[in-house]
């Protein structure tokens, strides 16, 4: 394939669920077009400003944040932030002159994709969830293509623009079985002892953290060792448990392939990115969906897996009553663990990243 010096601009952020798909798409396009130039646009002060440079890409920040659902003084600043962000997005687009624009959701993708589309730059958005955010709903009228991970999104988007691809995931997750020994050594874990991986998303999940803290003695009686990613917001509170036997607490896990490879059982939120990754990883999962999201879409994401006998779900309100019983039943049944792991792996859409890159390539070649 002839190397093309395309200019590709990407925007997505606020949480890992928007950032990592954008990075995965960029990595795939970079492998196809080594001479292409990439620029990310994020929200100032958010985690993309750190994670994107770590992945080897340049990023520019906009002064933007979302609208708070409850009445708050922060909302008074929103119109000014929006005007500022559109103004700066115009400057970025005018200076960079992209051949294509890609949005994966989050605050910053709104102004950037709006400006790109208004300048007739071919644009694509990727919607990870079963229920889209307001940014992508608005952008869908202006962009050429919408890559989705769930059926039924023609309720929200123009049907002729929708392509079902699944969600991009990190390619290093595709072969974690070969990394188990190396991963357990990396985390200084005991071989032959069950490892529980606890994930609450990049910022953390208060209720999951409270659960694990309250169940440390119970988990110890089950002879479990724990990798606990408690999140940025909670690390100062829970890092004291690093002094406990068989417990490792992390603000954030940079080596997710090793974390998954080391794990025997996973407790996780049910954000779209997490569900997609866990399908590929193929380990038994207990989902604890966040109830604080639009249209309760994490429960819908989790139930799509549970209905295929591929995971266990425990609602936050049921944790105190159900957790010990369901966890104990799972830990004593290698058959159930194998069934869940096998079934969830059948649901993996492993070619999402390449399919999205194919759609971007079509836009570039038009």
């Amino acid at each position: 394939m002839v190397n093309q010096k395309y200019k590709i601009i990407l925007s997505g952020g606020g949480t890992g669920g928007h950032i990592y798909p954008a990075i995965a798409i960029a990595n795939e396009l970079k492998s196809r077009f080594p001479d292409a130039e990439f620029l990310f646009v994020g929200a100032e002060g958010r985690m993309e400003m750190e994670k994107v440079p770590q992945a080897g890409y340049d990023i520019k920040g906009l002064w933007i944040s979302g609208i708070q659902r409850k009445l708050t003084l922060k909302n008074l600043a929103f119109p000014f932030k929006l005007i500022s962000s559109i103004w700066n997005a115009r400057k970025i687009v005018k200076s960079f002159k992209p051949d294509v624009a890609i949005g994966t959701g989050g605050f910053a993708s709104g102004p950037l994709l709006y400006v790109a589309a208004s300048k007739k730059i071919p644009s694509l958005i990727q919607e990870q969830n079963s229920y889209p955010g307001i940014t992508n709903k608005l952008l869908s009228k202006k962009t050429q293509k919408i890559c989705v991970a769930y059926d039924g999104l023609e309720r929200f988007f123009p049907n002729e623009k929708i392509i079902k691809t699944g969600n991009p995931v990190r390619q290093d997750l595709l072969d974690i079985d070969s990394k188990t020994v190396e991963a357990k050594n990396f985390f200084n874990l005991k071989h032959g002892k069950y490892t529980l991986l606890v994930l609450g998303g990049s910022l953390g999940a208060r209720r999951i953290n409270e659960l694990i803290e309250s169940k440390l003695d119970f988990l110890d009686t089950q002879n479990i060792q724990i990798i606990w990613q408690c999140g940025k917001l909670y690390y100062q509170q829970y890092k004291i448990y690093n002094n406990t036997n068989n417990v490792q607490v992390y603000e954030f896990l940079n080596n997710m392939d090793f974390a998954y490879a080391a794990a025997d059982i996973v407790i996780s939120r049910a954000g779209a990115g997490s569900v997609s990754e866990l399908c590929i990883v193929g380990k038994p999962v207990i989902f604890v969906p966040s109830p604080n999201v639009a249209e309760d879409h994490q429960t819908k994401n989790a139930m799509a897996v549970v209905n295929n006998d591929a995971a266990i779900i425990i609602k936050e309100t049921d944790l105190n009553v159900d957790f010990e019983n369901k966890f104990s039943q799972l830990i004593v049944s290698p058959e159930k663990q194998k069934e869940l792991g096998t079934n969830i792996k059948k649901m993996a859409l492993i070619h999402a990243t390449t399919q999205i890159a194919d759609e971007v390539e079509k836009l570039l070649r038009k």
Side-chain angles (χ1 to χ4, degrees):
M1 188 179 288
V2 178
N3 283 347
Q4 294 281 351
K5 293 188 177 179
Y6 290 122
K7 290 191 165 192
I8 299 169
I9 200 163
L10 304 99
S11 185
T15 65
H18 295 307
I19 298 163
Y20 291 115
I23 291 172
I25 294 165
N27 288 343
E28 174 64 23
L29 291 168
K30 191 175 184 179
S31 72
R32 299 183 186 199
F33 306 111
D35 293 339
E37 192 177 340
F38 293 84
L39 179 64
F40 279 70
V41 176
E44 284 179 359
R46 303 292 293 208
M47 65 183 288
E48 58 264 29
M49 303 308 290
E50 176 190 344
K51 299 300 174 189
V52 168
Q54 283 177 1
Y57 295 101
D58 292 334
I59 186 167
K60 292 186 180 293
L62 301 176
W63 185 48
I64 188 69
S65 60
I67 301 175
Q68 306 295 314
R69 288 192 195 160
K70 54 190 178 198
L71 288 173
T72 169
L73 288 172
K74 287 182 181 176
N75 282 343
L76 294 176
F78 179 77
F80 302 101
K81 288 183 176 183
L82 184 60
I83 292 164
S84 163
S85 294
I86 290 174
W87 175 261
N88 284 310
R90 283 188 199 284
K91 289 203 289 187
I92 291 167
V93 168
K94 186 177 180 181
S95 168
F96 187 66
K97 298 183 175 64
D99 296 298
V100 70
I102 301 162
T104 57
F107 315 135
S109 68
L112 190 279
L113 269 288
Y114 171 79
V115 168
S118 67
K119 291 187 176 293
K120 306 292 188 234
I121 294 162
S123 304
L124 173 149
I125 54 175
Q126 195 263 326
E127 174 56 57
Q128 294 105 34
N129 283 301
S130 54
Y131 188 86
I134 190 167
T135 301
N136 277 352
K137 281 188 200 169
L138 293 171
L139 290 173
S140 68
K141 298 174 176 63
K142 292 185 170 290
T143 54
Q144 278 74 42
K145 298 191 176 186
I146 306 159
C147 294
V148 303
Y150 290 88
D151 294 319
L153 270 81
E154 61 277 358
R155 291 180 297 150
F156 309 105
F157 299 140
N159 194 35
E160 68 279 5
K161 296 182 182 182
I162 294 175
I163 304 124
K164 187 182 178 186
T165 58
N167 285 323
V169 297
R170 290 163 275 205
Q171 296 303 291
D172 57 7
L173 301 183
L174 294 177
D175 182 31
I176 62 158
D177 291 343
S178 67
K179 302 177 185 176
T180 302
V181 173
E182 188 183 358
K184 295 219 175 196
N185 290 339
F186 177 83
F187 285 107
N188 294 312
L189 296 165
K190 295 187 179 81
H191 292 265
K193 183 173 180 141
Y194 270 106
T195 302
L196 171 66
L197 173 62
V198 181
L199 302 171
S202 50
L203 299 177
R206 180 180 59 81
R207 188 64 190 90
I208 290 178
N209 288 335
E210 290 173 350
L211 170 77
I212 299 304
E213 182 181 42
S214 69
K215 300 298 181 185
L216 285 175
D217 288 342
F218 162 74
L219 292 168
D220 192 47
T221 65
Q222 302 288 313
N223 199 27
I224 301 289
Q225 52 195 350
I226 305 169
I227 302 172
W228 179 3
Q229 184 252 308
C230 67
K232 185 177 182 179
L233 298 179
Y234 303 97
Y235 183 68
Q236 294 306 316
Q237 181 179 352
Y238 292 105
K239 67 180 181 180
I240 57 168
Y241 294 107
N242 273 323
N243 301 319
T244 310
N245 275 344
N246 301 318
V247 180
Q248 299 179 37
V249 183
Y250 294 88
E251 176 181 321
F252 192 82
L253 289 163
N254 287 313
N255 299 78
M256 278 308 300
D257 58 331
F258 276 9
Y260 284 130
D264 296 294
I265 294 174
V266 182
I267 295 174
S268 177
R269 283 300 201 202
S274 297
V275 173
S276 297
E277 288 190 354
L278 289 162
C279 287
I280 284 171
V281 165
K283 299 285 175 86
V285 183
I286 298 172
F287 284 119
V288 183
S290 170
N292 309 310
V293 292
E295 295 292 304
D296 198 22
H297 68 244
Q298 285 206 7
T299 298
K300 294 185 176 77
N301 294 348
M303 287 308 300
V305 182
V306 173
N307 289 338
N308 284 290
D309 295 323
I312 293 166
I313 185 172
I314 308 177
K315 291 186 175 181
E316 279 197 357
T317 50
D318 297 334
L319 281 171
N320 291 340
V321 176
D322 288 348
F323 176 76
E324 289 191 15
N325 186 31
K326 289 193 174 181
F327 189 88
S328 299
Q329 287 177 0
L330 182 60
I331 205 74
V332 299
S333 175
E335 297 81 10
K336 185 64 175 175
Q337 293 168 36
K338 185 176 181 183
E339 178 193 0
L340 293 178
T342 301
N343 288 346
I344 197 169
K345 199 152 194 170
K346 288 177 186 170
M347 298 182 67
L349 294 168
I350 63 172
H351 302 299
T353 312
T354 55
Q355 287 182 313
I356 293 166
D358 288 344
E359 296 303 326
V360 174
E361 200 171 320
K362 289 175 192 173
L363 291 176
L364 285 168
R365 298 194 184 285
K366 273 189 178 177

